[in-house]
Amino acid sequence: MKIELFVPCFVDQLYPETAFNTIKLLEKAGCEVFYNSNQTCCGQPAYNAGYWEQAKETGNKFLNDFSETDYIVAPSASCVGMVKNGYSDLFTNTIVHNKCRSIQANIFELSDFLVNVLKKDYFGAELDGKAVYHDSCSGLRECKIREEPRQLLSKVHGLEMVEMKDTDMCCGFGGTFAVKFDAISSAMAEQKVNNALEQDAEYIISTDLSCLMQLQGYIDKNNIPLKTMHLADVLANGWLESTEY
C-alpha cells in the first residue's frame, strides 16, 4: 500500500524525529511511504486567526502537493482536522471542490490509520513507566479518535496507562490563543499537568505535538518531573528487532 506522508510544518521544524518515527511505523506495517518535499503548511494558523484568504492560498498548495487517490497520513490530529473540516469552509463550491473532497476522504491521523485502516495495533514497542493520555481537541472532536491511541498504547511493553481527570479538556494552546490570552493558556496547562501528577504519571502522551509543546513548556518552566511524548515516538521506542509483525 502506498502512503503519502504529510509532515506538518512545525513538526518538520521542531520535532523531525517524530516524522521519522512515523515513517518507521508505517513501513513496519507494510506500507510504501512517499514524501513530497515540496509540501509546507495546511493553512491552519491563518485559518484559525481569521485570515481565510491566506489560508485558502496555502490550502490550494496543499491540494496540489497531494494526490486524490492515495492515502495521506499525518502525525497530527489538528492538521488532519483542518483538512477534513476547515477545507470545507474554504473550498466548497469552488473549482477544486471535488479534488478537495477526495483528499478529505483519504487523509488520516496516524493512530486512526493504523487501527482502523491497516488493522494493526502491536509494534513491539517498549517503554517503562506510568503514563496518561491527553485527548487533543482536534483529535477527539474533529478526527473522532479516542480509543485508537489507547488501543495502541495498551500494547506497549512496560507501559502502565492510567486515565487522568478531565482528559478531554483543552491544554490551553489553541494556536494564537496561547499568545493572545497567555494567562488563561498557562492556567489551562497547569490544570492539565496537575491532573497528570495526581495519577503519579511520568509521561503525558498525545497525538498532537502542539499540545505537547504547550505542556512541556509549562513543565520545563516549573521544573516538574514529567515528560511529554508523541504517540509515534512511544510506538517506535525500544523495538524488539526479532519480533515478527
PDB file of all heavy atoms in Angstrom, residues 37-49:
ATOM      1  N   SER A  37       8.701  16.564  -0.842  1.00  0.00           N
ATOM      2  CA  SER A  37       9.464  17.593  -0.128  1.00  0.00           C
ATOM      3  C   SER A  37       8.998  19.007  -0.450  1.00  0.00           C
ATOM      4  O   SER A  37       9.445  19.970   0.180  1.00  0.00           O
ATOM      5  CB  SER A  37      10.959  17.460  -0.445  1.00  0.00           C
ATOM      6  OG  SER A  37      11.192  17.610  -1.838  1.00  0.00           O
ATOM      7  N   ASN A  38       8.090  19.157  -1.401  1.00  0.00           N
ATOM      8  CA  ASN A  38       7.560  20.491  -1.721  1.00  0.00           C
ATOM      9  C   ASN A  38       6.460  20.919  -0.766  1.00  0.00           C
ATOM     10  O   ASN A  38       6.071  22.095  -0.747  1.00  0.00           O
ATOM     11  CB  ASN A  38       7.008  20.505  -3.152  1.00  0.00           C
ATOM     12  CG  ASN A  38       8.101  20.407  -4.197  1.00  0.00           C
ATOM     13  OD1 ASN A  38       9.181  20.961  -4.031  1.00  0.00           O
ATOM     14  ND2 ASN A  38       7.830  19.676  -5.268  1.00  0.00           N
ATOM     15  N   GLN A  39       5.947  20.012   0.025  1.00  0.00           N
ATOM     16  CA  GLN A  39       4.845  20.341   0.934  1.00  0.00           C
ATOM     17  C   GLN A  39       5.299  21.330   1.999  1.00  0.00           C
ATOM     18  O   GLN A  39       6.467  21.359   2.391  1.00  0.00           O
ATOM     19  CB  GLN A  39       4.300  19.084   1.591  1.00  0.00           C
ATOM     20  CG  GLN A  39       5.282  18.370   2.502  1.00  0.00           C
ATOM     21  CD  GLN A  39       4.670  17.140   3.148  1.00  0.00           C
ATOM     22  OE1 GLN A  39       4.103  17.222   4.221  1.00  0.00           O
ATOM     23  NE2 GLN A  39       4.784  15.992   2.470  1.00  0.00           N
ATOM     24  N   THR A  40       4.354  22.137   2.453  1.00  0.00           N
ATOM     25  CA  THR A  40       4.673  23.115   3.504  1.00  0.00           C
ATOM     26  C   THR A  40       3.647  23.032   4.631  1.00  0.00           C
ATOM     27  O   THR A  40       3.733  22.178   5.493  1.00  0.00           O
ATOM     28  CB  THR A  40       4.722  24.540   2.930  1.00  0.00           C
ATOM     29  OG1 THR A  40       3.505  24.808   2.215  1.00  0.00           O
ATOM     30  CG2 THR A  40       5.914  24.716   2.002  1.00  0.00           C
ATOM     31  N   CYS A  41       2.626  23.897   4.588  1.00  0.00           N
ATOM     32  CA  CYS A  41       1.658  24.034   5.675  1.00  0.00           C
ATOM     33  C   CYS A  41       0.260  23.768   5.147  1.00  0.00           C
ATOM     34  O   CYS A  41      -0.026  23.957   3.958  1.00  0.00           O
ATOM     35  CB  CYS A  41       1.755  25.447   6.256  1.00  0.00           C
ATOM     36  SG  CYS A  41       0.583  25.809   7.590  1.00  0.00           S
ATOM     37  N   CYS A  42      -0.639  23.344   6.022  1.00  0.00           N
ATOM     38  CA  CYS A  42      -2.022  23.108   5.621  1.00  0.00           C
ATOM     39  C   CYS A  42      -2.855  24.394   5.652  1.00  0.00           C
ATOM     40  O   CYS A  42      -3.981  24.421   5.163  1.00  0.00           O
ATOM     41  CB  CYS A  42      -2.666  22.069   6.529  1.00  0.00           C
ATOM     42  SG  CYS A  42      -2.828  22.582   8.263  1.00  0.00           S
ATOM     43  N   GLY A  43      -2.311  25.448   6.280  1.00  0.00           N
ATOM     44  CA  GLY A  43      -3.021  26.716   6.357  1.00  0.00           C
ATOM     45  C   GLY A  43      -3.764  26.951   7.655  1.00  0.00           C
ATOM     46  O   GLY A  43      -4.437  27.970   7.819  1.00  0.00           O
ATOM     47  N   GLN A  44      -3.615  26.038   8.599  1.00  0.00           N
ATOM     48  CA  GLN A  44      -4.365  26.141   9.852  1.00  0.00           C
ATOM     49  C   GLN A  44      -4.084  27.413  10.650  1.00  0.00           C
ATOM     50  O   GLN A  44      -5.025  28.034  11.165  1.00  0.00           O
ATOM     51  CB  GLN A  44      -4.106  24.908  10.728  1.00  0.00           C
ATOM     52  CG  GLN A  44      -4.899  24.927  12.013  1.00  0.00           C
ATOM     53  CD  GLN A  44      -4.624  23.746  12.921  1.00  0.00           C
ATOM     54  OE1 GLN A  44      -5.236  23.604  13.957  1.00  0.00           O
ATOM     55  NE2 GLN A  44      -3.692  22.888  12.534  1.00  0.00           N
ATOM     56  N   PRO A  45      -2.823  27.863  10.792  1.00  0.00           N
ATOM     57  CA  PRO A  45      -2.572  29.086  11.573  1.00  0.00           C
ATOM     58  C   PRO A  45      -3.334  30.294  11.030  1.00  0.00           C
ATOM     59  O   PRO A  45      -3.953  31.043  11.798  1.00  0.00           O
ATOM     60  CB  PRO A  45      -1.053  29.272  11.463  1.00  0.00           C
ATOM     61  CG  PRO A  45      -0.520  27.893  11.239  1.00  0.00           C
ATOM     62  CD  PRO A  45      -1.544  27.228  10.373  1.00  0.00           C
ATOM     63  N   ALA A  46      -3.299  30.490   9.722  1.00  0.00           N
ATOM     64  CA  ALA A  46      -4.023  31.618   9.126  1.00  0.00           C
ATOM     65  C   ALA A  46      -5.529  31.441   9.271  1.00  0.00           C
ATOM     66  O   ALA A  46      -6.257  32.397   9.571  1.00  0.00           O
ATOM     67  CB  ALA A  46      -3.641  31.755   7.654  1.00  0.00           C
ATOM     68  N   TYR A  47      -6.006  30.230   9.075  1.00  0.00           N
ATOM     69  CA  TYR A  47      -7.443  29.944   9.185  1.00  0.00           C
ATOM     70  C   TYR A  47      -7.961  30.255  10.591  1.00  0.00           C
ATOM     71  O   TYR A  47      -8.986  30.918  10.763  1.00  0.00           O
ATOM     72  CB  TYR A  47      -7.691  28.484   8.835  1.00  0.00           C
ATOM     73  CG  TYR A  47      -9.125  28.028   8.984  1.00  0.00           C
ATOM     74  CD1 TYR A  47     -10.062  28.258   7.984  1.00  0.00           C
ATOM     75  CD2 TYR A  47      -9.534  27.344  10.134  1.00  0.00           C
ATOM     76  CE1 TYR A  47     -11.375  27.832   8.117  1.00  0.00           C
ATOM     77  CE2 TYR A  47     -10.842  26.917  10.279  1.00  0.00           C
ATOM     78  CZ  TYR A  47     -11.755  27.170   9.274  1.00  0.00           C
ATOM     79  OH  TYR A  47     -13.063  26.739   9.424  1.00  0.00           O
ATOM     80  N   ASN A  48      -7.242  29.771  11.610  1.00  0.00           N
ATOM     81  CA  ASN A  48      -7.677  29.983  12.991  1.00  0.00           C
ATOM     82  C   ASN A  48      -7.604  31.442  13.410  1.00  0.00           C
ATOM     83  O   ASN A  48      -8.341  31.886  14.298  1.00  0.00           O
ATOM     84  CB  ASN A  48      -6.839  29.132  13.941  1.00  0.00           C
ATOM     85  CG  ASN A  48      -7.175  27.657  13.851  1.00  0.00           C
ATOM     86  OD1 ASN A  48      -8.204  27.281  13.298  1.00  0.00           O
ATOM     87  ND2 ASN A  48      -6.313  26.811  14.384  1.00  0.00           N
ATOM     88  N   ALA A  49      -6.705  32.195  12.771  1.00  0.00           N
ATOM     89  CA  ALA A  49      -6.560  33.614  13.096  1.00  0.00           C
ATOM     90  C   ALA A  49      -7.544  34.482  12.325  1.00  0.00           C
ATOM     91  O   ALA A  49      -7.589  35.703  12.525  1.00  0.00           O
ATOM     92  CB  ALA A  49      -5.136  34.069  12.818  1.00  0.00           C
TER      93      ALA A  49
END
